[in-house]
Amino acid sequence: KAGVTQTPRYLIKTRGQQVTLSCSPISGHRSVSWYQQTPGQGLQFLFEYFSETQRNKGNFPGRFSGRQFSNSRSEMNVSTLELGDSALYLCASREVVQGFYEQYFGPGTRLTVT
Amino acid sequence: KQEVTQIPAALSVPEGENLVLNCSFTDSAIYNLQWFRQDPGKGLTSLLLIQSSQREQTSGRLNASLDKSSGRSTLYIAASQPGDSATYLCAVRPGGSQGNLIFGKGTKLSVKP
């Protein structure tokens, strides 16, 4: 099976702009989660989607939003970008059936806000 | 609130050494614990997953143990190699399968040839 894919891999934006990141989960995985990774804060949970519904949300401002499509692909959007939004954004998918719930991560999108 | 701590933050060892990375968590009510490896600028690679009912898991030269009651996990790497150089992250999934992963800050490992 192909792994989790994320596009684009690198992005440079200016303060005040908005950005959309995309994630395709492993085939058969219906849960997609997003994490932000920065040197200071480490990995922080943004949100999780399952069957097109947001199931869980981290402690981030409303500028961060996401959605999931019927094919389980997910997008996250950040509006009114701030310098502090510069980070590696990681998407992860997992199966949601009785079992181990092992999480698999994509390569990430490196966002730089100038 | 669940918190995950990894000690040490960085570790440098000569090739061939056996080593132990530590992870501690404050709330023992976890569903599972997962160890990841991250190479610079890259995503996370899952190494081992331990369910809350398990005591340890092994994969090749890696062995992870879990002591839920004391809130600790260790990752043992046998016969370290330069290719093991990376940051190792520990993450817990709180009780209830719908909880998101909570990560430690990681241990940056450098294995010198």
Side-chain angles (χ1 to χ4, degrees):
Chain A
K1 281 185 182 176
V4 179
T5 58
Q6 292 187 245
T7 57
R9 294 291 312 279
Y10 303 91
L11 209 47
I12 299 175
K13 289 287 188 179
T14 305
R15 263 184 308 176
Q17 289 186 314
Q18 74 165 16
V19 67
T20 299
L21 313 181
S22 181
C23 170
S24 292
I26 291 172
S27 177
H29 287 191
R30 291 189 292 160
S31 164
V32 174
S33 297
W34 289 89
Y35 291 82
Q36 181 196 64
Q37 186 177 33
T38 58
Q41 298 298 318
L43 271 149
Q44 293 184 287
F45 171 74
L46 281 156
F47 27 66
E48 179 184 15
Y49 284 86
F50 173 69
S51 291
E52 302 178 65
T53 300
Q54 187 180 90
R55 191 159 71 168
N56 214 349
K57 189 177 189 306
N59 189 25
F60 277 82
R63 299 185 296 107
F64 291 82
S65 62
R67 60 177 176 167
Q68 187 180 32
F69 302 95
S70 57
N71 62 358
S72 294
R73 190 177 70 85
S74 177
E75 290 180 347
M76 69 162 278
N77 183 276
V78 187
S79 62
T80 319
L81 284 166
E82 300 177 0
L83 294 178
D85 297 333
S86 294
L88 182 66
Y89 289 88
L90 292 162
C91 168
S93 74
R94 63 179 173 130
E95 294 178 296
V96 185
V97 293
Q98 195 66 29
F100 294 101
Y101 304 118
E102 187 168 359
Q103 197 106 45
Y104 297 91
F105 281 78
T109 294
R110 171 73 62 185
L111 172 65
T112 302
V113 182
T114 63
Chain B
K1 179 189 170 192
Q2 177 74 272
E3 292 183 0
V4 180
T5 303
Q6 291 187 247
I7 295 173
L11 183 62
S12 181
V13 300
E15 182 177 3
E17 266 202 16
N18 301 324
L19 58 101
V20 174
L21 307 181
N22 297 293
C23 171
S24 62
F25 45 96
T26 55
D27 187 344
S28 62
I30 64 170
Y31 186 81
N32 60 30
L33 182 147
Q34 207 166 342
W35 281 93
F36 294 90
R37 168 188 171 135
Q38 186 175 32
D39 293 288
K42 302 289 178 64
L44 276 62
T45 300
S46 179
L47 297 174
L48 289 164
L49 172 73
I50 310 178
Q51 294 295 92
S52 61
S53 58
Q54 298 175 319
R55 297 284 294 187
E56 65 178 336
Q57 281 287 342
T58 298
S59 175
R61 296 183 293 109
L62 304 179
N63 174 278
S65 67
L66 174 64
D67 183 344
K68 216 174 65 159
S69 60
S70 67
R72 295 184 183 200
S73 176
T74 61
L75 179 66
Y76 175 82
I77 302 177
S80 59
Q81 303 169 358
D84 294 330
S85 298
T87 296
Y88 290 81
L89 293 152
C90 165
V92 300
R93 187 176 299 282
S97 62
Q98 296 187 20
N100 53 279
L101 286 175
I102 299 171
F103 283 85
K105 293 283 180 72
T107 294
K108 185 174 183 179
L109 173 65
S110 176
V111 181
K112 308 287 188 190

